[in-house]
Amino acid sequence: MARVRPVLNCLTLLALAVLLVPVAVERARAESALPTIYVQYAMNCTFTITDDAGKAVSSIAPGYYQVVVATPIPFAAEGPSTNGFTACKGSVQFQLTGPGVSLYTTLDDGDGAFYQFTATFKAGSTYTAQDNNQPSVARGVFSTTATGSPSTSSLPAGSGGSSASKPPASHDSAGSAVVPLRGNLAATIDAAGRLALTSKGKPVGTLKAGMYTFTVVDKSAKSGFSVQKLARGVKSIAIPLTGVGYKGTHLATLNLKAGRWAFFSPGGKKTYFIVVA
């Protein structure tokens, strides 16, 4: 019987995940203090993008929003895919980019099934969402109107609405209790395109594994700020925090796992740092 128990435990956890992920999405829909965009994956590694009313998103008013990314189950539980892009081959590679926005998540390399960002969408702009596992198939584009503000009419009474002065910080609703929050990192690009990453005013050399909030101050429209986990013999995806053409301040929360990492501008020299367990 000892050999059966681990299998049963795994199946039990998977069953709980199937039940809890939809609950988490509906709770976010009901309790949101901001208008929210929902990116809901299917098992074939495609997704739909809907609003608080459940309608497909094609055009929204500019302003602050929550962006919720969810999968039916933790995709890592599906195991290696032998059927095309089932469960995104183990984890999503969701990316949402456009003026002032650069979001990315793997849902904790497939171990998670729910993540919640905040983002500021600028007026008169176009935004592209895609999964980098199959970007030509799993792709969506929406625009913002030239004027207007997000509607909060669907919010529950007493939710408080959104702040017009400062967007709330992004957070990992599913994993923050498991992955330790380590603090803030300052990422900068000066007007000459030089990159730096510091912690408490000192250049980053070694960090402890966990969740970090990157505050990116980008003063160059010719450079961007990306980070990447490196591994021998394994192709890894660069995570863009700001893209070329963007100038301004952007916040992003990332789970830095143990290993060798680098930060760089696309096409530029990499600077390395170590994350330890």
Side-chain angles (χ1 to χ4, degrees):
M1 295 297 292
R3 293 182 180 178
V4 177
R5 287 175 184 170
V7 176
L8 291 177
N9 288 340
C10 181
L11 291 175
T12 300
L13 290 173
L14 184 57
L16 284 173
V18 172
L19 292 173
L20 291 177
V21 170
V23 171
V25 172
E26 288 308 313
R27 181 177 178 183
R29 191 183 297 275
E31 296 182 356
S32 171
L34 288 172
T36 304
I37 295 171
Y38 300 87
V39 180
Q40 182 64 61
Y41 271 80
M43 289 300 294
N44 65 353
C45 198
T46 62
F47 55 77
T48 58
I49 305 176
T50 58
D51 60 16
D52 282 304
K55 296 180 179 179
V57 169
S58 59
S59 180
I60 60 173
Y64 298 140
Y65 287 80
Q66 289 184 151
V67 179
V68 170
V69 182
T71 56
I73 64 171
F75 276 177
E78 184 70 12
S81 175
T82 58
N83 183 22
F85 287 94
T86 299
C88 294
K89 296 185 175 181
S91 71
V92 306
Q93 293 179 24
F94 177 77
Q95 179 176 303
L96 176 60
T97 56
V101 173
S102 181
L103 307 180
Y104 180 88
T105 184
T106 62
L107 294 184
D108 201 15
D109 291 339
D111 292 330
F114 181 91
Y115 198 91
Q116 186 170 296
F117 296 98
T118 56
T120 303
F121 296 99
K122 295 187 176 182
S125 300
T126 299
Y127 294 88
T128 301
Q130 66 183 41
D131 188 286
N132 290 331
N133 284 292
Q134 48 176 356
S136 63
V137 177
R139 183 180 178 86
V141 178
F142 62 90
S143 62
T144 53
T145 56
T147 59
S149 59
S151 172
T152 57
S153 60
S154 62
L155 301 181
S159 64
S162 61
S163 168
S165 60
K166 183 179 179 182
S170 300
H171 61 284
D172 182 355
S173 301
S176 59
V178 177
V179 181
L181 299 173
R182 296 298 189 189
N184 301 314
L185 300 176
T188 59
I189 307 176
D190 67 17
R194 292 184 292 261
L195 276 65
L197 183 64
T198 60
S199 175
K200 298 179 180 178
K202 297 181 179 179
V204 167
T206 302
L207 298 171
K208 290 186 177 181
M211 298 290 291
Y212 289 86
T213 297
F214 287 71
T215 301
V216 188
V217 179
D218 188 341
K219 297 182 179 180
S220 171
K222 296 182 179 180
S223 300
F225 199 105
S226 295
V227 296
Q228 185 177 23
K229 188 176 187 295
L230 308 174
R232 287 185 178 180
V234 178
K235 184 180 180 181
S236 57
I237 302 296
I239 304 171
L241 302 186
T242 65
V244 175
Y246 172 81
K247 289 177 68 176
T249 301
H250 179 71
L251 271 67
T253 302
L254 298 179
N255 179 12
L256 300 184
K257 295 188 174 183
R260 190 173 183 233
W261 288 74
F263 65 88
F264 53 93
S265 180
K269 181 181 178 180
K270 293 182 177 180
T271 301
Y272 302 95
F273 61 98
I274 302 296
V275 177
V276 298

